[in-house]
Amino acid sequence: MSAAAPDVAELQRRVVRVLSLGQVLGGVAFGATISLGALLAADISGEDALSGFATASVTLGAALCAIPLARLAGARGRRVALTLGNAFALAGIALVITAAGVRLFPLLLVGIVLIGAGNAGNLQSRFAATDLSTGERRARDLATVVWSTTVGGVAGPLLLTPGEAIGAAIGMPPLTGAYLFSIAAQAAALVLYLVALRPDPLLTAQRLARDAGAEPGPRRERDHPIAARYAIAAVAASHVVMAAVMAMTPLHLQHLSHAADGVSLLVGLTISLHVLGMYGLSPVFGRLADRMGRVAVIVLGQAVFAAALVTAAIWPEEPAAVVVALVLLGLGWSASTVAGAALLTEASPLAIRPRRQGVSDTLMTACAAVGSVLAGVVLGQWGYGVLALLALVLVAVTAVLSPWGRIAAD
C-alpha cells in the first residue's frame, strides 16, 4: 500500500484541481441563473409577490435531489452524479428559456426546480474533494473547492448585462440572455467531469478501502454516529443562521435608507462583502480545521456568528453596523460549514458516507428555506434586532452541544 501512496496523492491533487475548475464553471452558471429567477418569476406571473417562488423552487430542487444524487455517487461514483447534476441544470435552463418565451409560470418553476437539482450536484463537489484526502489535509482540500465558488459566484451576476445585450441581438425572450453563459458554463463543466474526473475519486477510495480491509490487522475505519449527527446539525444550524439573516438584510437596508439612489449601492456592497466572507477565507478555515481540529473551528465559527448577531442586535439602525454584521456572518458560516463537512466525512465509514452527506445537504437546504420564511415573519413583526437575537439561540445550542462532535482517538 505504501508504494501506491504517491499515485493516490497525485490523483488527489488532480481531483481537487478538476473539482475547483468545475466549481468556477458551476458558479458562473448558477450565479447568473439565480439572479434572473426572481425577475423572471415576477415578470411572467405579473405579481411581485410571486418572485419568491423562484428561490423556493431552487431550494426545493436541491433538497429533493441531494440524497438521490449522493446514493448514485455511492453506487456509480462522483463522476456520474456530478455530470447528471449538470444535465439536470442544462435541462432546467432550457425549460426556463422556453417558459419565458411562452409566458408560462408553472413551466418556469419546473425549470428552476431542475436548476436547483443541478445545484445539489454542485454541492457534492466539496465532499468529492475529501474522498481520497488524508486526515491531515481533508478540510484544506474541501475548503479549496469551496473557495473556487467565489470566482464563479462573483463573475456570474456580472454577466447579466452583456448577456441581455447578446440575447436581444439574437431574439431571445427578455431577461434570458445571460442564460447563454449559463449553458456554456454548465456544458463545459459536464464535459470536464466526464473527461477529467478519471479515475473516479470515490470509486478509487472504495477500492482502496476494500484492499485495506483484506489485509491483516485492525480496520482503520470506524463509525462515529454521534459525531456525524452533530456535524449534520451544526452545518444545518449554521446555514439557517446565515440564510435567515442574510435574506432579510436587503429589505432591512431598504427600510433604513432615505435616499432611493443609494439603496442599490448599499445592498450590493453589503451582499458582495458577505459573499466574500463566505468563500474568500475558506482555505484559511480549512487549514485551521486540519491543525486545531474540526470541532474547535466549528466553535470558532459560532463565536464569529455571535459577534455578528450581537452587532446586528445592538445597532440594527446603523447601516455600517449591518455591513460589519453581514461580513462576520459570512466568516462564521465559512468556518462552521468547512469544519462541519470535514467532521461529517471522517466520522462516517466510506460505505455510508455518501448517504450521510446527502442527508446533510438535504437538511441544510430545507431548514434554510423554512428559516428564511420564518425570518420574514419575524422581521415584519418585531424587527431586525429581534431576528438577530433569535438566531443567536441556534448559535448557542450549536456551541453547547459541541462536545458531542469530538471523536476519541482509536
Side-chain angles (χ1 to χ4, degrees):
M1 293 299 294
S2 60
D7 293 336
V8 173
E10 175 56 34
L11 174 59
Q12 170 63 6
R13 285 190 289 270
R14 183 159 62 83
V15 164
V16 171
R17 290 195 296 268
V18 170
L19 292 172
S20 297
L21 179 56
Q23 282 294 92
V24 171
L25 294 169
V28 168
F30 193 69
T33 296
I34 197 63
S35 300
L36 289 171
L39 296 176
L40 279 169
D43 179 61
I44 294 173
S45 67
E47 297 286 343
D48 288 348
L50 296 181
S51 62
F53 276 76
T55 302
S57 297
V58 170
T59 304
L60 177 63
L64 288 176
C65 289
I67 291 178
L69 285 177
R71 289 180 180 273
L72 180 63
R76 301 286 302 278
R78 299 288 187 189
R79 186 169 58 88
V80 172
L82 290 174
T83 52
L84 181 58
N86 288 128
F88 280 147
L90 283 169
I93 293 169
L95 283 180
V96 166
I97 295 173
T98 302
V102 300
R103 312 289 296 174
L104 191 59
F105 185 64
L107 184 63
L108 174 73
L109 296 184
V110 173
I112 295 176
V113 166
L114 285 174
I115 291 171
N119 191 47
N122 215 33
L123 285 172
Q124 278 197 18
S125 294
R126 72 195 197 285
F127 288 125
T130 67
D131 290 333
L132 291 170
S133 188
T134 61
E136 294 77 14
R137 289 193 55 89
R138 182 171 287 125
R140 222 173 312 177
D141 290 342
L142 184 150
T144 298
V145 173
V146 171
W147 177 87
S148 301
T149 308
T150 310
V151 181
V154 171
L158 296 178
L159 297 174
L160 297 185
T161 300
E164 192 60 24
I166 296 172
I170 63 175
M172 292 182 68
L175 298 176
T176 63
Y179 285 114
L180 292 173
F181 296 111
S182 297
I183 291 171
Q186 289 286 7
L190 188 151
V191 173
L192 173 72
Y193 291 139
L194 277 178
V195 174
L197 204 59
R198 296 172 181 270
D200 187 277
L202 183 54
L203 296 182
T204 301
Q206 291 171 343
R207 177 178 58 79
L208 292 173
R210 287 194 298 269
D211 292 345
E215 294 176 355
R219 289 180 59 86
R220 293 185 298 170
E221 283 196 324
R222 289 183 56 189
D223 189 14
H224 303 275
I226 295 177
R229 291 188 196 108
Y230 173 76
I232 291 172
V235 168
S238 298
H239 198 63
V240 170
V241 169
M242 184 278 297
V245 177
M246 183 272 292
M248 295 302 107
T249 298
L251 184 58
H252 177 62
L253 289 175
Q254 187 179 53
H255 291 161
L256 292 182
S257 179
H258 302 293
D261 292 340
V263 174
S264 296
L265 178 61
L266 178 59
V267 170
L269 175 64
T270 302
I271 299 303
S272 293
L273 291 174
H274 170 69
V275 171
L276 184 62
M278 287 176 65
Y279 299 113
L281 292 184
S282 55
V284 174
F285 292 122
R287 187 175 292 271
L288 286 175
D290 285 333
R291 290 185 176 182
M292 297 169 51
R294 321 306 187 205
V295 175
V297 176
I298 291 175
V299 173
L300 172 63
Q302 303 311 301
V304 178
F305 268 148
L309 297 171
V310 169
T311 299
I314 295 177
W315 298 288
E317 306 302 317
E318 295 293 333
V322 173
V323 173
V324 170
L326 261 288
V327 172
L328 291 174
L329 198 73
L331 292 171
W333 178 90
S334 182
S336 301
T337 56
V338 165
L343 175 62
L344 174 60
T345 298
E346 67 185 16
S348 306
L350 192 59
I352 61 174
R353 190 177 296 163
R355 184 170 73 248
R356 283 184 179 169
Q357 291 167 342
V359 169
S360 179
D361 282 346
T362 298
L363 188 64
M364 179 182 76
T365 52
C367 288
V370 174
S372 297
V373 171
L374 295 178
V377 175
V378 173
L379 181 69
Q381 293 293 323
W382 298 289
Y384 195 73
V386 173
L387 173 62
L389 290 176
L390 290 176
L392 195 58
V393 174
L394 275 179
V395 171
V397 171
T398 303
V400 168
L401 295 180
S402 61
W404 289 13
R406 302 191 184 279
I407 297 176
D410 294 338

